[in-house]
Amino acid sequence: MTTTTIEKDTLDAVHTDESQIAVHWKEEEYYAPSPDFVKQANLTDPSVNERFAEKNFPQCFEEYADMLTWYERWNTVLDTQDPPFWKWFVGGKINASYNCVDRNLALYRNKAAIVFVPEPEDEEPQVLTYQELYVRVNEFAALLRSFCGLKAGDRVTIHMPMVAELPITMLACARLGVIHSVVFGGFSGEACGLRAADSGSNVLIYMDGYYRGGKMIDHKAGAEIAVATAAKEGQKIDKVLVWKRYPGKYTSATPMVPDRDFFVDEILKDFRRAIVDPVPMDSEAPLFLMYTSGTTGKPKGCQHRTGGYLAYVTGTSKYIQDIHPTDTYWCMADIGWITGHSYIVYGPLALGATSVIYEGLPTYPDAGRVWRIAERLGVNIFHTSPTAIRGLRKAGPDEPMKYNYHFKHMTTVGEPIEPEVWRWYYNIVGKTEAVIVDTWWQTENGGFLCSTKPAMDKMKPGSAGPGVPGIYPVIYDENNQEVKAGSGKAGNICIRNPWPGIFQTIWGDRDRFVRQYYAKYCRDTKSKRWQDWPYFAADGAVQAGDGYFRILGRVDDVINVAGHRLGTKELESACLTVTEVAEAAVVPVVDEIKGRVPEIYISLKPGYAANKEISDKVIATLETMIGKIARPKRVHIVPDMPKTRSGKIMRRVLAAISNTLDTGDITTLANPDVVEQIRITVQGKEKLAFREGPEDLKQFGTQE
Ligand code: WT7
């Protein structure tokens, strides 16, 4: 048996208070928003609670739809005829690109829409005004329409880094009604190819390269693999469009394939000054797909609608993010995740704000970079994840104080935030001036589900807060009983009602959509009443006496790395492509910065001996098939996996060993002896005292 340690063994990190709060939860003190914040806030009228109360559902959401410009008004707010495939603002006609671009020209034509900040600090930030955005979106839409022959309903897969050309590409698609599917730039070409095939895209859009951590990454290299992977899945890619990081200069070493690969800057010359009328789309027409990991291997394409989605992200951007057109707003998420779609692109631009896009690593070239950007651009709203906050705190705990920026509002999203980290965010990053919202939601949800209303509700470190306006969460136990607020008991958080931001379906898999999100708590599958179809989020939560929800993490076998879901099955199938590997099991381990990272257990086929080359191969395979985000903390080669008598690998036992938790009852295993052997490989001969693990680790692998 061998163990490859990737980073310094950080098992000690498990001892910190930060990882313990999930079980040793104590009530935290409240923090009030500052009077200066309240004075200028969008949402201060207490009647909001009444307006969005259940008795006014679903009409309450017209307040959000009315923030948009429609070609035709809807005739039905919510159609429940085909549960749980809810339809919103039915009969309405709208275009998302028009709402994010054209309609801002009247008041904000030469105001900044997007500020792109290159990673190299000697490159100046680039400002795109709304007028400039309008020109570039129109020209690129003309190219997509005339050069690629794309039309409403077609799918396009976009694999691009954080550059201004990414929202330009998305908005050009939306202008035509073309459904975009953006794959996170850090994912591999293979991951991109699989998603392109699933969505049936025959056009891929790439960037040649981008800066990350001081290095120019050859991103276009992935296109070759993406095309080959898609082909293997039966999907032919006809065209690969390649944006250049520096117009006129190709930065990738990968050759262009004649008649398949085309440089955008060269073809755009034929479309100068082109104007493309936005296509009025049905409210229910899909706007985009966003792939996310679930409990089984295949990533699912979450299909989001046009009208309801745009209304929901605009309304929540205004009320929860407190975005005004005069704000300079910076969300550090990647546009390749749902947070970036909703709260870098669609929400902020629909409100005419200035949205900042930063190319690179937050700590490059040093721990002050983020705060220098904030100071230089006058950012006043800041949005990031606990992982980034922990990383910034570790890199430079006092850095924020050295820079003269002032945030009025800050967001945390993606995973539970430890109260101690929250307080650093509040005191040091926010300089006690900024209000914080801890927003809980998911790729499937389009926008926020739980959060405090920033000017109206007190903050409580570690708690997301109550449901946002129009969202009625509830916690159910395994017997369909409601777990009452203040009972101190955890359960499954569900949303009782539909909302305009909820996804329409899983692309091409209606059954899985119903099974995964609605089957568990549906009261009557024949019913057409929304009240009978609670949405199951697959997160554990507790509700305090004050009604605030505290999220404990996923209840299924999904590993939340730096706020992003990785499916264990997807990782395990990747490991199994290594010739020597017979079996693989992936478990989450506590990581000080990223929250959770995967740790891999493999057993080998007969005739192979454990060695470091095999571990290295597994790591390399995960990086190519999934991406760097899947890089495991350690790879353990074990003689056998702990298994039930029916042959199921007991991930729960492995997770316990990796995190020094109690392995619990193992007597029912087919091979209980292997557990101690594995324990010694991982922890060493000496028996370590068990730790009280965080709730998500204790629950990991228990649902069989
Ligand atoms: C999962 C969704 C949509 C945001 C980006 C991640 C966890 C998300 C919080 C929060 C505690 C959170 C949940 C959720 N999560 N926000 N504020 N507090 N946990 O999107 O990849 O779809 O992941 O992230 O477990 O189910 P995602």
Side-chain angles (χ1 to χ4, degrees), residues 292 337-339 386 412-417 438-445 450 462 464 537-539 550-554 560 563-565:
T292 188
W337 306 113
I338 190 75
T339 304
T412 165
V413 64
E415 39 175 329
I417 187 166
D438 180 346
T439 58
W440 169 72
W441 58 298
Q442 312 171 300
T443 304
E444 295 86 338
N445 307 153
C450 283
D539 271 335
R550 177 165 184 275
I551 308 298
L552 302 172
R554 309 288 305 168
N560 188 326
H564 297 294
R565 282 193 261 165

Side-chain angles (χ1 to χ4, degrees), residues 569-617:
K569 294 269 169 41
E570 205 182 357
L571 269 59
E572 288 163 2
S573 355
C575 296
L576 290 179
T577 65
V578 174
T579 329
E580 295 88 341
V581 175
E583 289 177 309
V586 180
V587 302
V589 289
V590 171
D591 181 88
E592 220 186 320
I593 304 294
K594 295 179 186 155
R596 303 287 176 268
V597 291
E599 188 154 293
I600 314 282
Y601 288 82
I602 51 174
S603 64
L604 303 179
K605 290 178 188 157
Y608 291 105
N611 60 43
K612 186 163 176 303
E613 280 75 66
I614 298 176
S615 310
D616 288 348
K617 242 197 263 180

